Amino acid sequence: MATDGCALNQITRAAGLAGILLALACTTSTETHEPRPFPTPFEVIAHRGASAYAPENTIPAFQKAYALGVVDVELDIQLSQDGEVILFHDSSLREKTGEIGAVRDHLASDLLEMDIGRWFDRTHPEVEQKWSGTTLCTLGEVFERFGDRFHYHIELKSDDVELTARALDQIRAHGLESRVRFTSFRFEQAERARRLAPEIPTGLLVRDAARLRREAPAPDGVTTLSLQQAEIDRARMAGIDQVGFPAEDLTPELIRYAQGRGLEIRAWRIRSDADMHRAIDLGAMGMTTNWPDRVVRELLRHKRRRTTR
Ligand code: G3P
Ligand code: CA
């Protein structure tokens, strides 16, 4: 793993990950299927940092992503009780830190003492490096550490009305307006981001098909595709230029519908190589993944197969 990461790092530092993927675009193929060329540029986005290798949404997860040569990272933000922008995914602190309540119930000073590394070590015994003692961090800390080395896909995780404004303060204070994209499953948050910062691109994340159906006001007789199309329509109406769907829900009809309306599609929830191939073959422009190195390695494998045929 270390050798692969190192090699990838050297390659991507020299050419840029997007450059490598672009170079592969014309030659990518496998014996079992014939993927379409990659869209340009294709975004390999380290999900909550390189979260297969270090605790999600922490400085070490972003350090790992950087060491792997990744230029796009995704992260989840919520506000602390005293208005600090904290990186954390879940609505409850319990599972990953053992603490009670939610991010919103605690002062930043307390949150920044909370250990998420113990949870990672317990749930990822296959990872050799141990992370006990790794604590939560703020958006400001991430920006200070990594600055413009990354492009940040910032997911507005809570429905706090102040969240976008506080995140924008940090983005502007660090001069990173051109290095960020807001995303959210919460339409109101995505819409608010468009209003407050029209210069920053925004993506709407769409729930999986089963949940869309469950939450539809009148699911009888309504197709999944029409529910997905409605999400695309309301995104477009709000000036949102990207929609994110789980890889397993992508279909040619859905992609055609979005692209016909000028929206990019990106994939989330990549659980297997099959998910990865599906997203790429259907024409997604990028994907979040806990294993960014695997995505690039797979592409290199495709290229080798092609050239040795
Ligand atoms: O890329 C979007 C992805 O981050 C959404 O899922 O649960 O990790 O926030 P989640
Ligand atoms: Ca997320």
Side-chain angles (χ1 to χ4, degrees):
M1 182 63 64
T3 311
D4 286 341
C6 197
L8 175 60
N9 190 19
Q10 286 165 6
I11 298 165
T12 53
R13 291 281 173 270
L17 192 53
I20 289 170
L21 296 174
L22 177 59
L24 292 170
C26 306
T27 54
T28 301
S29 177
T30 70
E31 284 151 31
T32 50
H33 68 179
E34 288 291 332
R36 296 195 322 197
F38 274 85
T40 309
F42 189 89
E43 293 175 352
V44 179
I45 307 165
H47 180 229
R48 312 180 197 170
S51 58
Y53 306 116
E56 62 188 45
N57 286 315
T58 65
I59 297 292
F62 299 111
Q63 280 168 333
K64 283 277 169 194
Y66 186 68
L68 291 170
V70 168
V71 293
D72 281 89
V73 291
E74 191 261 0
L75 51 88
D76 302 295
I77 59 166
Q78 306 186 42
L79 281 187
S80 68
Q81 196 179 78
D82 49 344
E84 277 285 345
V85 184
I86 305 288
L87 272 62
F88 197 70
H89 175 272
D90 299 2
S91 56
S92 160
L93 289 161
R94 183 174 294 280
E95 186 190 344
K96 290 174 186 165
T97 69
E99 305 287 343
I100 54 161
V103 168
R104 195 73 178 104
D105 302 324
H106 295 265
L107 295 172
S109 53
D110 295 333
L111 291 160
L112 299 182
E113 301 270 301
M114 291 182 189
D115 184 338
I116 191 172
R118 266 197 311 267
W119 161 79
F120 183 88
D121 291 346
R122 199 173 59 243
T123 54
H124 293 73
E126 76 286 1
V127 175
E128 212 173 297
Q129 193 163 0
K130 298 302 164 203
W131 296 104
S132 176
T134 304
T135 57
L136 309 194
C137 64
T138 64
L139 185 63
E141 281 178 79
V142 174
F143 286 165
E144 266 148 44
R145 293 290 283 265
F146 301 99
D148 64 3
R149 290 186 193 129
F150 286 134
H151 186 250
Y152 303 91
H153 300 252
I154 300 176
E155 185 181 342
L156 302 160
K157 204 62 183 171
S158 73
D159 56 11
D160 198 314
V161 292
E162 288 296 312
L163 182 59
T164 310
R166 295 288 75 78
L168 270 173
D169 291 343
Q170 291 297 327
I171 292 164
R172 288 176 175 148
H174 291 86
L176 291 171
E177 293 91 333
S178 65
R179 306 292 295 174
V180 297
R181 168 182 286 280
F182 283 123
T183 68
S184 194
F185 283 105
R186 297 164 188 270
F187 180 74
E188 295 71 22
Q189 287 292 46
E191 208 181 23
R192 187 175 292 117
R194 288 304 301 147
R195 272 201 317 275
L196 290 179
E199 76 279 19
I200 292 179
T202 303
L204 179 66
L205 298 169
V206 180
R207 300 287 183 192
D208 61 68
R211 185 157 170 187
L212 271 187
R213 295 199 66 79
R214 224 173 29 247
E215 292 176 356
D220 291 345
V222 176
T223 64
T224 298
L225 180 61
S226 66
L227 293 171
Q228 293 169 322
Q229 288 172 334
E231 294 296 309
I232 290 169
D233 288 343
R234 69 171 176 163
R236 188 173 62 87
M237 294 294 286
I240 291 166
D241 70 331
Q242 185 185 87
V243 274
F245 286 90
E248 78 242 28
D249 289 350
L250 294 177
T251 60
E253 297 75 26
L254 180 61
I255 302 263
R256 258 200 309 278
Y257 190 85
Q259 289 178 343
R261 282 148 188 81
L263 272 82
E264 293 178 339
I265 291 249
R266 91 141 154 90
W268 60 273
R269 197 151 74 190
I270 307 292
R271 290 171 169 159
S272 63
D273 285 356
D275 286 342
M276 187 172 71
H277 288 304
R278 181 171 187 76
I280 294 164
D281 291 354
L282 287 173
M285 49 63 63
M287 64 179 76
T288 41
T289 170
N290 299 357
W291 298 271
D293 50 329
R294 276 195 202 168
V295 177
V296 176
R297 202 175 310 142
E298 189 64 20
L299 298 174
L300 294 170
R301 207 175 289 144
H302 286 188
K303 184 170 188 271
R304 270 200 301 276
R305 278 198 203 121
R306 173 83 178 204
T307 50
T308 53
R309 254 195 225 167

